[in-house]
Amino acid sequence: MQKSCFPGRFPATGSITRWNAAVLLWLLFLTFVSLTSDYLQTAPFDARTGEHVAGLSLSYPTWGAVIEPFAAVAEILGGAPDMRKAVLSTLVWCLLLPFLFALLQDMGNKAKLSRRARFRRAASISLTATLCFAMYLAFTTTVKLPTWVLHDDNASDVQADLHTHTFYSHDGLVSPEDNLAHHREIGNQVVVFSDHGMHPHNYNMDGVITGTEQGVAKGDFHVIGVGLIPDKFVPVALFGKPELKTLVKQIHEVHHGAVIAMTEHLKPEDIPSLVALGIDGFEIFNQGYTPPSNALKTALLEAQKRHGIVLVADSDWHGWGTLNQQWTVFRTGTMTGDTPEKIVINSLREHLADSVIPVTANHEGQVSTIHTILSPLFEVFRYAQELSLLRLAAWWIWGILFILAVRLLKAQKLAPAPTLGALMCGSTGAVMLAASLYRLYTWLPFDGTNVYGRNLFLLIICLSLVCLAVSRMMLQKVFAMQQSQLADRLEQNKPAYAE
């Protein structure tokens, strides 16, 4: 008869002791690295030079410390130099480490499990860990998590995000109102809604600049039009650079706007020709894409030096989570415009590159292959360096609560691991369900066609219901185990009557 992977009895005291020891070791590691580090997280970086920017500072919301352990994975991955590679590397490790650990754990248990059963058990544990990680990613997609807030000592400066999306894009997940509210919370005064498509939407909101993101077929790169007048916009199919030149001319002359090029898929030799076409700026950092290579970055800096081309740091935010960690700061000393929106557009059009600073919360750029492979390890260490005393204290409070919860469950003859796992799974599902329903509610007045976004939320709702069902099933199993153990104990304590 095959042995179940789910424990059929309460774990031994030694197992509980190892869990407590692991928690204490983790807390001691965070404490040691945090207190011995001179890492200055409160000062943001210039994405061009990697140096701290004077006059700017970062703060972390107090409510974020309250849920620090739950937001930690998102902070660890979101602060990586290349977030996409960090997520992929973590996904691979989620597959490998539990599999190898389970195999090593069963090496001394050959008499009880066959080789095929050991591999099956290791594979199931590995798959479970991977699914948990995927579920967490879905959680971060729908639930608002804490992130850094930018502060500027000069009240006249303007902070902006020049590349964001709403549900008027085919892959946007948030309403214009939620987009603007989120960006203002993290320190932006101006936001460009650069929704996909050839027909810009008229948002008519203070602090919002109407834009559009369009792809150039030949060259496989995208450009962002900034400062558009929807009623005057004439769609242009961008097959190549001749059509791009037409679009740039229209935006400059008819809309008095500007054009920014995304650097994904660009090569260093593409920069001079795009500058000649009239491109006003380039994204030197985009939260959703791989940072530019050193050669491409050099070409961008050369374009800035020679032509005053503005380099910006954008989020490309579609509503996937709330971990934006970049801003573009416009120093207003030499800028013209009677509103923050005008200051942003004029600075791009007039190529005031020296007065525009692309800012990031962490070091960004290319990393080595070793760093990519061991990304979870490097980013955990970086995360520990960033922790403030308040966030570190939150870890200790939650760690102590975890140890006390384990002791309480043990006293109640309940298996701690499946019980806590069930509660975590259920609470995650409930929060995701509530957040997804709220997002769908904000879409009720939406008159566009965004099948992708709606289907994604429907999928997350289904995942949430699965979480709740699994949680219920696990709790039923836990209580059944408890009742079985109590029944066995009563049976053992019955007095023996002589025949």
Side-chain angles (χ1 to χ4, degrees):
M1 182 177 178
Q2 186 177 349
K3 185 177 179 180
S4 172
C5 298
F6 196 92
R9 60 183 180 81
F10 183 74
T13 303
S15 175
I16 302 301
T17 303
R18 286 194 294 271
W19 273 102
N20 292 344
V23 171
L24 288 175
L25 285 174
W26 169 251
L27 294 175
L28 290 173
F29 163 76
L30 293 179
T31 303
F32 176 78
V33 175
S34 176
L35 297 182
T36 59
S37 171
D38 58 355
Y39 187 82
L40 189 60
Q41 178 58 46
T42 55
F45 299 92
D46 188 326
R48 300 167 298 184
T49 63
E51 299 177 353
H52 290 297
V53 183
L56 300 178
S57 61
L58 296 171
S59 67
Y60 197 80
T62 303
W63 70 269
V66 177
I67 60 168
E68 184 63 39
F70 306 98
V73 176
E75 280 292 337
I76 290 170
L77 298 177
D82 189 334
M83 184 174 63
R84 292 197 300 179
K85 289 183 179 179
V87 171
L88 181 60
S89 176
T90 305
L91 185 64
V92 173
W93 282 110
C94 281
L95 279 168
L96 290 179
L97 277 184
F99 184 83
L100 295 175
F101 179 78
L103 285 181
L104 292 174
Q105 191 179 41
D106 287 339
M107 285 182 63
N109 200 20
K110 296 179 180 179
K112 294 184 179 181
L113 289 175
S114 65
R115 179 179 299 180
R116 183 175 181 180
R118 291 201 305 272
F119 272 91
R120 184 181 299 172
R121 176 177 179 274
S124 66
I125 293 175
S126 174
L127 181 61
T128 300
T130 305
L131 290 176
C132 287
F133 179 66
M135 189 65 68
Y136 184 83
L137 293 180
F139 175 80
T140 62
T141 298
T142 54
V143 178
K144 179 180 178 180
L145 293 176
T147 191
W148 296 103
V149 179
L150 182 70
H151 304 278
D152 195 330
D153 292 345
N154 188 347
S156 63
D157 289 347
V158 177
Q159 300 80 36
D161 191 339
L162 307 178
H163 184 179
T164 75
H165 296 268
T166 72
F167 51 37
Y168 287 100
S169 286
H170 68 274
D171 52 357
L173 303 181
V174 292
S175 67
E177 292 77 12
D178 285 345
N179 184 316
L180 180 60
H182 164 67
H183 279 89
R184 283 183 168 168
E185 284 181 6
I186 63 174
N188 285 308
Q189 297 169 260
V190 175
V191 185
V192 176
F193 288 172
S194 52
D195 285 318
H196 296 288
M198 303 176 70
H199 302 281
H201 184 74
N202 188 7
Y203 302 99
N204 194 26
M205 299 167 65
D206 290 337
V208 172
I209 297 176
T210 297
T212 182
E213 178 183 342
Q214 297 190 28
V216 181
K218 188 176 180 181
D220 191 24
F221 67 95
H222 286 219
V223 294
I224 303 163
V226 178
L228 305 184
I229 304 171
D231 296 338
K232 296 183 179 181
F233 186 76
V234 179
V236 179
L238 301 181
F239 297 107
K241 290 184 178 179
E243 293 80 12
L244 176 58
K245 185 175 182 179
T246 301
L247 177 65
V248 171
K249 183 178 180 181
Q250 177 194 164
I251 292 176
H252 283 168
E253 296 180 0
V254 178
H255 304 268
H256 303 289
V259 182
I260 299 171
M262 297 173 62
T263 55
E264 182 78 359
H265 304 305
L266 289 182
K267 300 179 179 61
E269 54 268 25
D270 295 327
I271 304 304
S273 61
L274 289 175
V275 171
L277 288 176
I279 295 294
D280 301 292
F282 291 93
E283 289 183 344
I284 196 169
F285 176 77
N286 181 307
Q287 178 91 13
Y289 290 95
T290 300
S293 65
N294 293 332
L296 180 56
K297 189 173 182 179
T298 299
L300 294 173
L301 292 173
E302 185 66 20
Q304 180 192 46
K305 180 179 178 181
R306 289 190 175 188
H307 307 285
I309 297 300
V310 176
L311 302 181
V312 301
D314 291 337
S315 67
D316 196 3
W317 194 60
H318 288 65
W320 299 67
T322 53
L323 296 177
N324 309 55
Q325 301 194 31
Q326 70 298 302
W327 305 260
T328 300
V329 177
F330 294 80
R331 302 287 199 194
T332 55
T334 59
M335 298 180 181
T336 60
D338 54 357
T339 65
E341 297 91 330
K342 287 293 185 182
I343 288 174
V344 169
I345 295 173
N346 292 344
S347 300
L348 293 169
R349 286 177 54 83
E350 296 169 17
H351 293 185
L352 301 178
D354 292 337
S355 300
V356 182
I357 307 173
V359 175
T360 59
N362 295 284
H363 278 295
E364 308 295 346
Q366 295 288 316
V367 295
S368 65
T369 303
I370 294 298
H371 189 122
T372 300
I373 295 173
L374 301 177
S375 186
L377 181 63
F378 280 101
E379 300 312 321
V380 164
F381 189 79
R382 187 263 312 158
Y383 166 79
Q385 289 180 309
E386 294 178 358
L387 288 178
S388 63
L389 289 178
L390 180 61
R391 297 168 69 190
L392 185 61
W395 266 110
W396 276 96
I397 292 172
W398 280 105
I400 293 172
L401 289 176
F402 175 84
I403 292 174
L404 293 176
V406 169
R407 289 183 175 274
L408 177 62
L409 292 172
K410 179 184 175 183
Q412 297 297 321
K413 300 297 184 286
L414 294 172
T419 304
L420 293 176
L423 293 175
M424 182 66 70
C425 185
S427 58
T428 299
V431 173
M432 283 200 304
L433 180 61
S436 298
L437 290 175
Y438 166 75
R439 289 285 184 88
L440 286 177
Y441 171 76
T442 63
W443 284 37
L444 291 179
F446 175 49
D447 57 358
T449 55
N450 186 335
V451 178
Y452 176 86
R454 289 186 177 180
N455 287 347
L456 177 63
F457 282 127
L458 291 175
L459 175 61
I460 293 177
I461 288 175
C462 292
L463 291 175
S464 303
L465 296 176
V466 169
C467 280
L468 293 172
V470 170
S471 174
R472 182 174 181 271
M473 181 181 65
M474 291 175 68
L475 287 175
Q476 286 178 337
K477 179 69 174 178
V478 167
F479 288 119
M481 288 161 48
Q482 181 194 40
Q483 295 300 320
S484 177
Q485 291 180 54
L486 291 175
D488 290 344
R489 180 166 298 184
L490 289 175
E491 186 69 26
Q492 292 173 3
N493 292 337
K494 282 184 178 181
Y497 295 99
E499 293 183 359

